[in-house]
Amino acid sequence: MPVGAKLIGVGAGIPSAVVTNADLEKFIETSDEWIASRTGIRERRIASEEETTSALAILAAKDAIAFAQIEPSTIDLIIVATSTPDNLYPSTACMVQAAIGAPRAAAFDLEAACTGIIYALAVGQQFVGSGTFKTVLVIGVDIHSRFLNWEDRNTCILFGDGAGAFILQAADGENEILATYLRADGTGAHLLHIPNTGTAYPHAGTTPPKAMDRFLQMNGRAIYEFAVHAVPEAVRATAAKAGIRVEDIDFLVPHQANRRIINAAAERLNMRKEQIVSNVDELGNTSAASIPLALWQAIRRKQVQPPAICCLVGFGGGLTWGAAIVKWTAKDKRGDYNAED
Ligand code: ACO
């Protein structure tokens, strides 16, 4: 018998160091005007050496737990979506499990690049919906700054570091995760990748790759084209699965890759500016973290007020894309403690 699921918390973990476009101008040939007009990004957060992927994930987990006011010991499952874990293993999810005090939670990582948070949400919903688990912590976290060539102006300007978390819980009443939709197309794997970081390299006995060969590589134009088609397709398909019209969606919470992609996709969906949730100007592209971080800030700023039907839509390396339509009814149980005016 399927059980309903709802989102009861959202949280953030962001590094303290702010790197503005003007800071980038000091060491690469770029300008605030170029970056802002092409991407909408003005600044991003960059992790220090101490701020590891697990450290940011733990911050986001604790923030979401405080939002929902639950006991960490009641969490049954922790899923961390990341492409940039601390290590190949143990999983980042196990490190979160130990740090937050959730001894009975199962824990694993999941990798679907920037779409990872949507995949993790869908997996979490399946465990709740089947009645297997009651409370699931889902985290999207990435530290891309460690895998960027800081001399390559085509890529290094785009990314920021961060973590965002959701808490899902079984619900007696209606299912508030109205639908999820997951897609992948591995034929586009070469369009966005971080090579030489897994078992495809090194070949035993050969010279280790130079640091330069282990940086993120991207075909920007191709990713742009992919994204502006994938976002409307995922939104329409998920709305159809949820049995609602696109016009019934109150807010679009897209992956924060860049403002031009977000605006082009929103235009294709006939959505108004006020319906678009975006903080790419402040945080840049935080990969798997960007969707919960955008929603987290929109709630703090009271742009999104419950109840609201939100379409979370992701796209990224793989290629992967997907969406989740959720009815957001949760309020921060700390009251206005964390709200921004
Ligand atoms: N500062 C100044 N000039 C730059 C910079 C920069 N940071 N980067 C590139 N340029 C130059 C290029 O060298 C080029 O110069 P040239 O004509 O003399 O060769 C010129 O600007 C134009 O470059 P284009 O690549 O044509 O710029 P475009 O308008 O396509 O914008 C961008 C590039 C922003 C990357 C765009 O392709 C895009 O938005 N792509 C989507 C990619 C994306 O968002 N990826 C994020 C990761 S993917 C994900 O999250 C799923």
Side-chain angles (χ1 to χ4, degrees):
M1 187 70 169
V3 182
K6 62 178 179 178
L7 288 167
I8 61 163
V10 62
I14 46 178
S16 44
V18 176
V19 175
T20 64
N21 291 346
D23 293 329
L24 298 180
E25 282 175 12
K26 291 176 195 147
F27 61 88
I28 47 168
E29 204 184 318
T30 190
S31 65
D32 176 50
E33 194 282 319
W34 194 97
I35 299 172
S37 64
R38 299 301 207 289
T39 71
I41 299 167
R42 294 268 179 201
E43 59 187 47
R44 71 284 293 141
R45 300 294 180 100
I46 298 295
S48 67
E49 275 180 31
E50 292 73 37
E51 288 170 321
T52 57
T53 299
S54 60
L56 296 183
I58 291 162
L59 280 179
K62 288 183 174 170
D63 192 32
I65 287 166
F67 183 108
Q69 293 283 296
I70 59 161
E71 284 301 323
S73 59
T74 61
I75 295 170
D76 300 301
L77 173 65
I78 300 169
I79 308 173
V80 172
T82 186
S83 318
T84 54
D86 286 14
N87 294 293
L88 288 182
Y89 67 84
S91 68
T92 302
C94 281
M95 300 177 80
V96 173
Q97 192 247 25
I100 65 171
R104 68 191 184 90
F108 67 89
D109 286 3
L110 170 159
E111 202 275 293
C114 305
T115 322
I117 191 70
I118 301 293
Y119 270 68
L121 209 50
V123 173
Q125 190 217 0
Q126 294 302 311
F127 277 113
V128 172
S130 65
T132 310
F133 293 130
K134 282 205 167 79
T135 305
V136 178
L137 169 63
V138 167
I139 302 169
V141 54
D142 271 307
I143 297 192
H144 264 94
S145 62
R146 310 265 214 269
F147 299 94
L148 294 173
N149 177 356
W150 287 97
E151 291 172 7
D152 176 13
R153 65 181 184 171
N154 292 293
T155 52
C156 76
I157 56 140
L158 296 170
F159 293 88
D161 302 327
F166 288 126
I167 297 175
L168 268 87
Q169 207 165 53
D172 287 340
E174 59 182 321
N175 190 4
E176 294 184 0
I177 299 187
L178 306 182
T180 59
Y181 174 79
L182 303 178
R183 295 293 306 273
D185 176 9
T187 64
H190 59 288
L191 298 174
L192 178 58
H193 62 140
I194 306 183
N196 298 315
T197 43
T199 58
Y201 196 93
H203 311 293
T206 57
T207 320
K210 295 189 289 290
M212 289 289 282
D213 298 331
R214 307 182 71 156
F215 292 134
L216 178 143
Q217 294 177 14
M218 176 186 77
N219 179 332
R221 288 260 170 97
I223 293 295
Y224 183 93
E225 282 303 313
F226 152 66
V228 297
H229 288 97
V231 171
E233 190 255 315
V235 173
R236 290 192 185 106
T238 318
K241 274 183 89 177
I244 64 171
R245 299 166 309 157
V246 171
E247 301 88 87
D248 297 326
I249 296 168
D250 297 316
F251 293 99
L252 185 72
V253 190
H255 168 47
Q256 306 289 306
N258 76 51
R259 181 69 49 76
R260 279 201 310 183
I261 292 177
I262 293 171
N263 288 349
E267 202 173 302
R268 285 169 193 226
L269 290 162
N270 289 323
M271 294 185 113
R272 299 185 312 280
K273 206 170 157 234
E274 315 80 74
Q275 293 179 277
I276 312 307
V277 169
S278 179
N279 60 0
V280 71
D281 54 334
E282 285 174 58
L283 296 181
N285 179 349
T286 55
S287 195
S290 84
I291 291 173
L293 282 176
L295 187 58
W296 164 79
Q297 204 161 42
I299 289 168
R300 280 160 50 105
R301 291 180 173 167
K302 299 190 165 51
Q303 180 189 3
V304 171
Q305 301 202 44
I309 295 183
C310 300
C311 183
L312 320 182
V313 55
F315 54 92
L319 300 172
T320 52
W321 69 105
I325 295 186
V326 303
K327 194 167 151 192
W328 185 267
T329 57
K331 288 193 174 142
D332 192 330
K333 293 229 170 96
R334 294 166 291 191
D336 277 349
Y337 157 80
N338 225 1
E340 285 182 8
D341 292 327

